[in-house]
Amino acid sequence: MVLSRDGSASLFAASAGGTLRLAGYLLLAVALMMLDHHDDWLPRVRSATALAVEPAWRLAGAPARWLSDIRENLTAQSSLRRENRELRDALLLANVRIARMQALVRQNDQLKRLLDAADSLRMQGQLARVIDIDLDPYRRRLVLNRGARQGVQVGQAVVDAHGVMGQVIEVLPNTAVVLLVTDPSSALPVIDARSGVRAVAYGSGSGDLLSLPDLPINADIKVGDSLLTSGLGGRFPAGFPAATIVTIVADRSGNYLRAAARPAARLDRSDQVLLLRDLAEPMGPPAPVIDAGPPSSLIGPAPAGVGNASTPRAARNGARR
Amino acid sequence: MMHNDWQRWVCYLSLALSLLLMLLPLPMALLPLRPWWPALVLVYWVLEAPDRVGLGTAFITGLAADVLAGALLGDQALRLVVIVFLAQRFRARLRFFPMVQQSAAVLLLLLNDSLLRWLIRAFAGLPLPPLLAWAAPLVDAVLWPFVFLLLDGLRARMRARES
C-alpha cells in the first residue's frame, strides 16, 4: 500500500516535471520551425554541419552502391558483351547524329550572328553521380556527389541522356541537392514542340507526372505531343526534351484544359547526370569586350619597352652633351 | 561504470544507425510506407534505459534527422519528443505488455504521430503526405518486435561478455 502510494507519488512528480520539460522542448521545436519557415534556416544549418551531413549521406548511399557493384560483378560475361555491343551501336548512332548536328549548329551560329543574337547552343557540363538516398518521402529530390569545391552552383540545370531532370537548389562542399521537375514546388517553362504553345509544367505532389494547369481551352495540344524547355525565365536552357503529354482533360469550369505529362528524363533510374554550366551571357554581346583592345602581350611589356627606348636616347643625349 | 559505458555506446550507435536507415532508398511507390526507424529505436531505449534516453535525446535525434532529411527544421524533433513523452508516461505498463500488445501500442503512438505530421505540414504549407502514408504506422508496428528483439539480444550479449 505504502509502496504503491510512494510509487504513484514519484511517478506523478516525475510526470509533472516531464510535462514542463515537454512544453519547453515543444516550444523550442515550434520556434525552430517558424524560424526555418520564414528565413530558411535549414540550408544554413546544413552548410554549417556539412562536415557531418555529407559523410552521413555517403554512408547511407553506400549499400545501394555496393549492391549495384555486386550485380555488375555477377552478371555473366555474355550479357556484358551483348550490352557492350549495344552500347557501341548506340554510340555510333549518337556520333553520327552529333556529326550531323554539328553542321547544323555551325549553320545556326552563322544565322544567329547574322541576326545579332546570342549563341545559346554552346553547352558545357560536368558529370556527376547520384548518391542513392531518399531524403523526404513526400518530395522529389536527388543528392549528387559534386559540390561547391567542384564548382557546382545553385541554379544549375541537371539533365540526363533523355531530358531535363531538375535544378540544383542547395550546394554543400562536396555534394549538391537537386530539385526534380516532379517536386511539388518545381515549375518548368515548356513549349510544345509541334505547335509552339507555351506553358508551365508544375510538379504534381503525387506520382511521377508533371501537370500543366490552366491551358486555354483552344490551345493546340494533343496527347503524345513532346514538350521542350522554352528557356523563358533563364533558369533552364532552351530546347531540352522535358516531357510527353499523356492526358488532357477540361477542368470543372470548362474554361481551361488541364494536361498531365510524363517527364522525359528517367528520374528514378538515373545514375550519371550532367550538370549544365550556366550559359555565360545569354543576351547582349559582351564577349568581344574581352578580346577588344591590344592583346595583353603587347600591353604588358610596352612600358618597359618605352623605358628601354628612352634610356638609350637619354644616354645618347647625355653622351652628345 | 563499465556497464554504463557500453550501454551508452550501444544506445548512441543504434540511434545513429537508425538515422542512416531512414535515408535508405526505396522504390517510389513504397516511399510513403517508409518505416520511421529513429522512433522505434528511441521507444526501445525509453522502455529499457529511461535514465539514459529522455526528451533531450529525442529532441537532438530529431534535429539530426531534420538536418539530414530536411523538410522543415524542428518537425521530426517535435514529433519524436511527443512520442518519447508518451512512451515515458506509459512506460510502467508498456514494459510488461506481451509483444503483440506492445506492437499495438507502437501502432497507436505512430498513428497519433501521423496526425501530428499532417497538422504540421498543413500549417507549414508543405506538400501533404499521400493517403498511403497513413499505413506507415502499420509497417512500424510489424517491425517493432524485430527491433525490440535485435536490440534486446545485443544488450544481453554485451552484458554476458561483461560478466
Side-chain angles (χ1 to χ4, degrees):
Chain A
M1 196 65 186
V2 177
L3 253 180
S4 81
R5 205 191 291 157
D6 240 348
S8 69
S10 76
L11 194 69
F12 178 72
S15 73
T19 315
L20 259 182
R21 289 179 59 216
L22 172 76
Y25 280 122
L26 291 190
L27 271 179
L28 198 56
V30 170
L32 271 178
M33 278 194 260
M34 286 169 79
L35 277 176
D36 185 34
H37 200 237
H38 285 288
D39 301 340
D40 266 344
W41 266 43
L42 188 66
R44 266 186 266 167
V45 173
R46 253 195 201 163
S47 58
T49 52
L51 217 60
V53 170
E54 287 185 336
W57 281 350
R58 305 236 166 177
L59 209 59
R65 203 56 205 291
W66 293 333
L67 268 183
S68 78
D69 281 358
I70 288 172
R71 204 179 305 138
E72 248 167 50
N73 285 340
L74 289 185
T75 39
Q77 203 181 357
S78 62
S79 76
L80 276 182
R81 209 177 291 151
R82 195 184 59 230
E83 193 185 327
N84 196 348
R85 202 180 310 130
E86 282 170 9
L87 286 177
R88 219 176 283 162
D89 290 354
L91 184 65
L92 183 69
L93 269 176
N95 274 338
V96 169
R97 234 173 259 157
I98 286 174
R100 255 182 64 203
M101 274 293 289
Q102 258 161 1
L104 286 178
V105 166
R106 215 170 298 130
Q107 194 180 2
N108 191 29
D109 272 358
Q110 287 170 354
L111 289 174
K112 282 208 165 146
R113 215 168 293 139
L114 286 179
L115 288 172
D116 213 14
D119 172 17
S120 64
L121 277 177
R122 196 182 302 144
M123 188 179 79
Q124 282 190 332
Q126 177 181 22
L127 280 176
R129 195 175 267 280
V130 175
I131 299 179
D132 203 355
I133 55 175
D134 290 322
L135 295 183
D136 183 350
Y138 316 122
R139 308 188 72 177
R140 304 277 175 261
R141 289 181 295 180
L142 282 184
V143 180
L144 303 181
N145 70 345
R146 293 273 184 270
R149 287 212 189 116
Q150 289 82 30
V152 180
Q153 289 166 0
V154 169
Q156 274 184 276
V158 178
V159 300
D160 73 355
H162 307 275
V164 172
M165 298 184 77
Q167 57 179 314
V168 176
I169 51 165
E170 192 185 335
V171 176
L172 295 181
N174 291 308
T175 45
V177 181
V178 176
L179 184 79
L180 294 180
V181 287
T182 46
D183 189 274
S185 57
S186 159
L188 180 68
V190 292
I191 186 167
D192 188 314
R194 182 180 56 81
S195 63
V197 171
R198 289 205 186 88
V200 177
Y202 296 93
S204 60
S206 55
D208 50 353
L209 291 180
L210 300 176
S211 81
L212 290 78
D214 305 338
L215 293 167
I217 194 81
N218 58 354
D220 185 8
I221 271 190
K222 288 180 195 158
V223 170
D225 278 0
S226 63
L227 304 172
L228 307 177
T229 53
S230 69
L232 290 180
R235 260 293 157 83
F236 293 94
F240 277 96
T244 314
I245 301 275
V246 285
T247 58
I248 302 176
V249 288
D251 78 345
R252 212 176 294 154
S253 68
N255 296 327
Y256 293 100
L257 292 176
R258 165 180 288 274
R262 182 173 302 288
R266 303 209 172 142
L267 298 179
D268 52 341
R269 269 175 294 169
S270 293
D271 183 31
Q272 291 268 14
V273 301
L274 189 65
L275 283 152
L276 296 183
R277 284 253 168 275
D278 282 339
L279 298 170
E281 305 288 341
M283 297 297 278
V289 173
I290 301 160
D291 289 335
S296 59
S297 56
L298 284 183
I299 299 170
V306 169
N308 283 344
S310 69
T311 332
R313 200 176 295 157
R316 230 176 287 147
N317 285 348
R320 209 178 280 169
R321 222 178 270 160
Chain B
M1 194 58 217
M2 282 301 278
H3 171 90
N4 283 342
D5 233 29
W6 65 253
Q7 199 178 35
R8 191 169 63 212
W9 281 113
V10 172
C11 176
Y12 291 157
L13 267 180
S14 63
L15 281 176
L17 205 62
S18 73
L19 287 177
L20 290 186
L21 274 178
M22 198 183 64
L23 295 176
L24 279 194
L26 280 178
M28 200 184 279
L30 293 182
L31 259 187
L33 288 179
R34 188 164 70 172
W36 200 23
W37 298 101
L40 295 181
V41 174
L42 273 173
V43 169
Y44 173 82
W45 287 111
V46 167
L47 294 190
E48 297 300 322
D51 48 342
R52 182 155 327 286
V53 169
L55 298 182
T57 320
F59 189 79
I60 289 171
T61 309
L63 270 192
D66 279 328
V67 170
L68 281 181
L72 182 65
L73 196 64
D75 164 37
Q76 298 194 51
L78 187 145
R79 284 156 50 203
L80 282 178
V81 164
V82 170
I83 284 186
V84 164
F85 178 77
L86 289 175
Q88 271 180 344
R89 206 63 184 278
F90 298 109
R91 171 170 177 270
R93 254 166 287 173
L94 278 177
R95 271 196 85 181
F96 299 106
F97 273 173
M99 196 59 87
V100 180
Q101 243 169 313
Q102 261 185 10
S103 273
V106 166
L107 177 67
L108 284 182
L109 272 179
L110 284 158
L111 273 178
N112 174 54
D113 172 72
S114 293
L115 186 70
L116 197 57
R117 178 181 59 194
W118 196 89
L119 280 176
I120 290 175
R121 292 202 159 237
F123 268 113
L126 287 170
L128 290 177
L131 271 183
L132 190 60
W134 289 95
L138 269 177
V139 177
D140 283 305
V142 169
L143 284 172
W144 166 254
F146 298 100
V147 172
F148 186 91
L149 292 178
L150 184 79
L151 287 174
D152 233 26
L154 202 63
R155 271 181 70 214
R157 183 165 299 181
M158 297 297 273
R159 198 177 299 147
R161 189 178 293 174
E162 195 66 37
S163 57

